[in-house]
Amino acid sequence: MATERCPRCKRVRNMRVSVAEREERQPDGSRKRFRTTNFHCETCGNLVRSEVRELEVRAL
């Protein structure tokens, strides 16, 4: 389980982690995939941070 300092609680708390993926088409027709990971304080629900990472697009 992830733990981080919550800016609202001002204490180290457990984080609730959610992950979402999305795909974007570029003007040249290529595709890019992204994974967004959000970290929310388990106690107060405050968004502590987000990470966005680009993923490889697999050819079919």
Side-chain angles (χ1 to χ4, degrees):
M1 176 165 288
T3 59
E4 295 204 23
R5 184 180 180 280
C6 175
R8 183 183 283 172
C9 296
K10 299 191 182 351
R11 297 193 187 271
V12 175
R13 300 286 193 195
N14 291 331
M15 295 291 122
R16 190 175 58 233
V17 180
S18 61
V19 179
E21 290 187 11
R22 72 179 191 280
E23 187 174 291
E24 293 180 0
R25 290 226 181 252
Q26 302 301 305
D28 65 357
S30 64
R31 299 178 304 172
K32 285 190 176 182
R33 291 182 60 211
F34 298 93
R35 177 178 291 148
T36 304
T37 307
N38 295 311
F39 296 84
H40 289 85
C41 175
E42 192 175 73
T43 303
C44 70
N46 187 50
L47 175 65
V48 175
R49 69 183 172 100
S50 289
E51 294 177 356
V52 178
R53 296 190 182 191
E54 187 174 341
L55 304 173
E56 289 184 28
V57 177
R58 295 184 187 143
L60 296 175

